[in-house]
Amino acid sequence: MKMEEGMQLIDGNGNFNVEGLKDFMTTTGFAHCGLSYAIVAIIGPQSSGKSTLMNHVFGTNFKMLDAYKGRGQTTKGIWIARCNDIKPFTIAMDFEGTDSNARGEDNTAFERQSALFALAIADTILINMWYKDIGLEHAASRPLLKTVFQVMKRLFKPRKRTLLFVLRDHSKTPFEYLETALKEDIDKIWASVAEPETSRSVVLSDFFNVEIATLSSYEFEEKNFKTQVDLLRQRFISPTGLTGDKNEAEPASGFLVRAEKFWKTIKDNKDLDLPALKVMVATVRCEEIAKEKLRQFTIDDGWLALKGAVQAGPVSRFGATLISILENYLSQYDTEVIHYDQDVRNAKRRQKESQALEVVRDAYVTMLEHLYSNTLESFETSLEQLLNGGEGFVASAVACARSCFLQFDKGCEDAFIRHSGWNASEVREKLRRHMLSEMMAKYVKQLTDVLADEVQSLFEAGEADTWVSVRNLLASMTDVAESELSNAHVDFELPRSETDAKLGCLKVFARSVVERKARESAATGRVLMPMKHSFGTYARFTQVFNLDENSTPRVWTPEQNIDEIERNALSASLKILAIMAAMRLDNIEDQIEIVLSSSLMGAVPTEAHAPDPLASNTWEEVPTNATLLTPAQCKLLWMQFKAEIAYIVNQAKSDQEARRQAKKVIKTILGLVALALMTSLSGYWGMGTAANPDVAAVLTNVRQAMADLMKDIGPEVLAILKDELPKALSFLGPQVVAAIMALLTNRTASWQR
């Protein structure tokens, strides 16, 4: 399509050609003209030569009247074309004649609609009229002018347009006369139009620069016509030719939307609120431009690279890089919408910026998550290293907290996105709480390990004041913990109430550690061990039973009172059982040891037929949750304990019995030796046994007597005799002792055979 020939913008039925206008704007480059363009429209009676005039003045090629076919409707609807060789870029609009009989009764409606559209869209309006109509009350141009003025007064705010009256077929009447008469007619028509009730009184010059030009008859004076047209054309190619209020101008890119909305409003017979429509056009165009810039931003290589990089880890200068990319597209938007309504373009800019920020929000959140994770990991590692290096807990926690918060804040500053209104306060709070939790966890572990080990040692030691020591240890360690954690919490900016709550939880936890260790120590398999063996300074059964008051191993001579020694040892073990029967963290007095002593050892006499106090599952004055071993469990443990130590006691008694028998044997042997000595010559005892027949006779008698004596002696007694007999016979001399011991040895060897 040749753009000089034009395209039908609005057809005869009032349909707006959207696709045709899009093609026209793209093909002619009109959409990229910004504010450097002008629109000129021509209205006037049918067959008054409007198209001919536009073609000659602006170099267009609108369809013209064929003089040989007579007058009739040539132009239907509204046409537009690009003007040739006129700058700035100019659009010519050719309107259907205003007094056409072709439309019949619809003529007035379309005339008004056309006039409205021309006034709304054009900078310069040419009113084509016959010069002979000037001064005539019923001239064809009068209704047209009245319509134009009515529209101007009612719907338009003052905006200077050029109203150029082109007087056609001018002959001999002086121009000055025509000019004066026309202006008088114009003033009369303007004055006859009623003022709007809501408007102040306005004058014609507020709206129009009125200009007048005359043209000879194209049909009869073509040469003069063309000369005059050339002069008229000069008006439009001069710097001030196409005048218009450029302060009210809008970018060419919005022409399609503006023209379509104007026409729809006019056609729907609604009041043409130009300011509102101007805002509407600005809204549509700014929205379109903003949408396109947002689309370009989302596929920008720099943004996509940044988005990909932040998935892997923190990105240096994240915020600055992102803002640089975004500002580039915002700047492009500002440039393209600069001539639209300021409020609208600013609102759309803010909307676009908000939408763009929503696009990048996930990346920003990911960036903060990386900072959070890295900082928390750094805190955990640093604190662990300092504590392992022997640094104090408070100093370590404070140093790590300050360093890590500084690290996080610096990273957040680097990631900050200007104008987003976002901040990292929530993530920082999350980090603070997790760092605090990590610090508390490490402190609790440290406290737990130390407290558990020391409590275990106290339970194993089993001193009489075990629970006093446990209570003192718990109080001491919780006091230290309270002091240390209070100091460490300062850098975490924790409210005092929250600090107190955490310290309260710590005290409860520390107590639970003690309770747990107490229950572990009171378990059946563990409580029996300290009852039997000593782990500290407090004596248990084996120590009391097997060692004397000088801690020397006992020799179970017949003089030893094993029952009494056993009772003393059992009493020591019973104290351990009493200690482990209940938790005494609240320092409540109880009668557990007395009950156990009276029931298990008869230390306190009980009435006949009295109920067994150990048949119960509770202790008097001891809460259920403080009970470690019930009375019934204690009784069962005691029976198991006595069964396990019975071997030790029986062994001691066996040893004592063996010593008693050995003592009798030694007395008997001494008697035999004494008898033998009485019957022998004392002088021969000093001789060797081989040379002295009397000694041999004595030994023979002793040997026979010992053989008879030792028939009923077991190996335990023999073992004792080997130790004790040489001592008892030492007065006889080594030879006799050796001989008697040889007899004993031979006896042992015979048993072994």
Side-chain angles (χ1 to χ4, degrees):
M1 177 178 66
K2 294 182 179 179
M3 292 302 121
E4 293 81 1
E5 295 179 358
M7 54 81 60
Q8 190 174 39
L9 180 63
I10 299 170
D11 66 18
N13 295 319
N15 299 314
F16 194 94
N17 188 359
V18 175
E19 294 302 320
L21 183 54
K22 284 182 181 178
D23 184 48
F24 176 86
M25 293 181 67
T26 302
T27 304
T28 61
F30 178 37
H32 305 293
C33 288
L35 295 182
S36 183
Y37 71 96
I39 298 176
V40 58
I42 187 167
I43 59 177
Q46 176 183 306
S47 302
S48 61
K50 297 187 301 298
S51 300
T52 301
L53 176 60
M54 295 299 276
N55 291 342
H56 281 84
V57 175
F58 298 106
T60 56
N61 196 17
F62 291 122
K63 184 179 180 182
M64 297 188 297
L65 172 69
D66 186 344
Y68 293 100
K69 292 183 178 180
R71 293 185 176 233
Q73 191 177 43
T74 304
T75 302
K76 294 182 180 180
I78 301 172
W79 289 69
I80 63 172
R82 175 181 180 178
C83 298
N84 257 335
D85 301 327
I86 293 182
K87 293 190 179 175
F89 188 101
T90 302
I91 297 295
M93 304 184 71
D94 189 9
F95 283 70
E96 179 180 317
T98 57
D99 60 348
S100 172
N101 291 327
R103 286 191 176 272
E105 294 180 358
D106 290 337
N107 181 54
T108 301
F110 192 78
E111 177 181 321
R112 180 179 180 276
Q113 292 171 352
S114 298
L116 268 171
F117 190 69
L119 290 170
I121 211 75
D123 300 298
T124 301
I125 301 98
L126 276 63
I127 298 181
N128 199 49
M129 60 184 296
W130 307 109
Y131 92 97
K132 59 182 176 57
D133 283 347
I134 295 175
L136 297 179
E137 196 66 32
H138 301 289
S141 60
R142 274 184 171 272
L144 174 61
L145 284 176
K146 190 168 185 177
T147 297
V148 169
F149 292 163
Q150 285 175 339
V151 170
M152 294 302 295
K153 279 191 175 183
R154 189 166 66 87
L155 300 179
F156 289 75
K157 69 177 182 178
R159 176 173 86 87
K160 285 292 181 115
R161 294 167 176 80
T162 297
L163 201 60
L164 176 58
F165 289 85
V166 181
L167 306 181
R168 303 295 296 273
D169 292 356
H170 175 236
S171 58
K172 296 180 180 180
T173 306
F175 175 79
E176 292 76 10
Y177 171 79
L178 293 174
E179 182 179 30
T180 301
L182 179 58
K183 287 187 176 181
E184 288 176 356
D185 278 352
I186 292 172
D187 289 339
K188 287 179 182 179
I189 297 171
W190 181 264
S192 68
V193 176
E195 299 286 349
E197 293 180 2
T198 58
S199 175
R200 65 176 179 83
S201 179
V202 291
V203 296
L204 183 65
S205 59
D206 289 338
F207 290 91
F208 297 115
N209 293 313
V210 178
E211 297 182 11
I212 301 172
T214 60
L215 293 176
S216 300
S217 171
Y218 176 65
E219 184 178 354
F220 300 108
E221 298 180 65
E222 183 176 352
K223 184 176 181 180
N224 285 340
F225 176 84
K226 290 182 177 180
T227 300
Q228 292 165 351
V229 164
D230 287 340
L231 292 175
L232 182 59
R233 178 181 174 84
Q234 294 304 314
R235 290 193 184 194
F236 295 104
I237 62 176
S238 66
T240 59
L242 288 169
T243 59
D245 189 352
K246 290 304 176 184
N247 291 327
E248 297 290 334
E250 296 184 49
S253 60
F255 179 79
L256 187 151
V257 176
R258 188 164 68 254
E260 182 186 13
K261 296 299 181 183
F262 282 0
W263 182 250
K264 184 179 186 305
T265 303
I266 292 168
K267 187 180 177 185
D268 291 344
N269 203 25
K270 297 178 180 178
D271 286 346
L272 190 60
D273 186 352
L274 286 185
L277 287 173
K278 179 181 178 181
V279 169
M280 179 273 300
V281 172
T283 300
V284 172
R285 282 300 297 148
C286 290
E287 175 69 27
E288 290 176 349
I289 295 169
K291 186 176 181 180
E292 175 60 19
K293 296 307 169 187
L294 181 62
R295 185 193 69 80
Q296 293 174 4
F297 169 72
T298 58
I299 61 174
D300 181 87
D301 290 341
W303 154 241
L304 294 178
L306 186 65
K307 180 182 178 182
V310 81
Q311 300 305 313
V315 177
S316 178
R317 292 180 51 78
F318 175 84
T321 303
L322 181 59
I323 285 298
S324 175
I325 298 171
L326 181 57
E327 285 291 347
N328 176 49
Y329 290 99
L330 289 173
S331 178
Q332 292 179 24
Y333 167 85
D334 292 338
T335 300
E336 294 186 29
V337 302
I338 186 63
H339 300 298
Y340 287 109
D341 182 85
Q342 182 176 0
D343 291 340
V344 173
R345 68 177 188 253
N346 288 345
K348 291 298 177 182
R349 188 189 201 278
R350 290 191 295 270
Q351 182 180 348
K352 174 188 182 300
E353 189 172 15
S354 177
Q355 291 171 340
L357 290 174
E358 284 304 312
V359 170
V360 306
R361 178 186 285 274
D362 287 346
Y364 175 73
V365 170
T366 301
M367 178 71 179
L368 292 187
E369 286 298 324
H370 285 314
L371 293 175
Y372 159 79
S373 300
N374 289 355
T375 305
L376 184 60
E377 182 179 353
S378 177
F379 178 78
E380 295 171 355
T381 302
S382 300
L383 184 58
E384 187 75 27
Q385 289 175 347
L386 288 176
L387 293 177
N388 291 341
E391 293 290 334
F393 186 86
V394 174
S396 300
V398 169
C400 290
R402 290 177 180 175
S403 172
C404 290
F405 277 133
L406 185 64
Q407 171 189 338
F408 179 79
D409 292 341
K410 187 177 183 304
C412 290
E413 182 180 349
D414 195 47
F416 176 68
I417 301 176
R418 192 160 38 88
H419 304 316
S420 66
W422 303 335
N423 60 62
S425 58
E426 291 186 5
V427 180
R428 194 180 195 277
E429 175 64 14
K430 175 183 173 183
L431 174 66
R432 182 182 69 81
R433 292 191 175 277
H434 281 203
M435 285 171 58
L436 184 60
S437 297
E438 179 63 22
M439 182 194 75
M440 287 291 294
K442 287 190 180 299
Y443 191 85
V444 166
K445 182 179 184 305
Q446 188 181 70
L447 175 68
T448 300
D449 292 345
V450 175
L451 182 60
D453 289 345
E454 295 197 20
V455 168
Q456 182 68 39
S457 298
L458 289 174
F459 285 140
E460 288 177 352
E463 304 288 350
D465 59 350
T466 293
W467 283 105
V468 175
S469 299
V470 169
R471 288 196 298 270
N472 291 340
L473 174 65
L474 179 60
S476 173
M477 295 194 72
T478 52
D479 287 345
V480 171
E482 181 175 4
S483 174
E484 291 187 336
L485 287 179
S486 295
N487 293 331
H489 280 172
V490 171
D491 278 68
F492 288 91
E493 303 171 359
L494 206 64
R496 186 66 217 181
S497 59
E498 194 168 341
T499 301
D500 291 341
K502 288 186 177 295
L503 292 175
C505 291
L506 181 65
K507 289 181 179 180
V508 171
F509 181 80
R511 182 183 175 109
S512 72
V513 171
V514 174
E515 292 175 350
R516 174 170 57 82
K517 297 306 294 184
R519 294 188 187 282
E520 290 176 0
S521 298
T524 301
R526 300 188 65 171
V527 75
L528 290 176
M529 187 64 67
M531 288 174 67
K532 289 190 289 185
H533 306 292
S534 297
F535 291 93
T537 59
Y538 192 73
R540 312 295 168 85
F541 182 85
T542 56
Q543 184 179 8
V544 174
F545 189 79
N546 292 326
L547 302 178
D548 61 17
E549 59 273 10
N550 297 318
S551 297
T552 303
R554 293 182 188 276
V555 177
W556 296 109
T557 62
E559 293 78 21
Q560 295 281 1
N561 189 342
I562 292 181
D563 290 339
E564 183 179 354
I565 293 172
E566 179 189 9
R567 185 175 184 81
N568 291 337
L570 287 173
S571 179
S573 296
L574 190 69
K575 290 182 182 296
I576 300 298
L577 185 61
I579 289 171
M580 299 309 303
M583 285 185 283
R584 297 168 176 86
L585 292 176
D586 298 319
N587 196 20
I588 298 175
E589 296 292 333
D590 60 66
Q591 304 298 315
I592 292 178
E593 186 174 353
I594 295 174
V595 172
L596 289 176
S597 295
S598 63
S599 300
L600 300 178
M601 297 186 62
V604 179
T606 57
E607 298 179 5
H609 308 297
D612 183 1
L614 298 184
S616 173
N617 286 323
T618 59
W619 299 103
E620 290 186 11
E621 301 175 346
V622 177
T624 302
N625 60 358
T627 300
L628 297 175
L629 296 170
T630 65
Q633 288 173 326
C634 286
K635 184 175 182 179
L636 185 62
L637 276 170
W638 186 254
M639 293 171 62
Q640 183 177 344
F641 170 71
K642 291 195 70 175
E644 291 185 9
I645 64 167
Y647 172 78
I648 299 174
V649 176
N650 291 335
Q651 192 71 20
K653 289 181 177 180
S654 296
D655 189 30
Q656 187 182 54
E657 181 60 27
R659 289 184 179 278
R660 184 178 290 112
Q661 292 182 25
K663 187 175 182 180
K664 290 180 180 179
V665 170
I666 291 172
K667 287 182 178 180
T668 301
I669 291 175
L670 287 174
L672 290 173
V673 171
L675 180 62
L677 291 175
M678 290 173 63
T679 59
S680 303
L681 295 174
S682 58
Y684 294 105
W685 283 103
M687 300 173 61
T689 57
N692 193 335
D694 294 323
V695 172
V698 171
L699 291 176
T700 299
N701 293 333
V702 171
R703 183 185 300 113
Q704 186 61 45
M706 285 182 65
D708 295 337
L709 178 65
M710 295 180 69
K711 286 180 181 179
D712 299 324
I713 294 176
E716 295 86 358
V717 177
L718 283 175
I720 295 172
L721 288 174
K722 286 182 180 181
D723 292 333
E724 299 297 330
L725 190 57
K727 300 175 185 177
L729 300 177
S730 60
F731 68 93
L732 295 175
Q735 290 181 331
V736 175
V737 171
I740 293 175
M741 291 306 296
L743 293 175
L744 183 64
T745 301
N746 292 335
R747 177 60 180 169
T748 302
S750 65
W751 281 340
Q752 291 175 347
R753 289 194 295 269

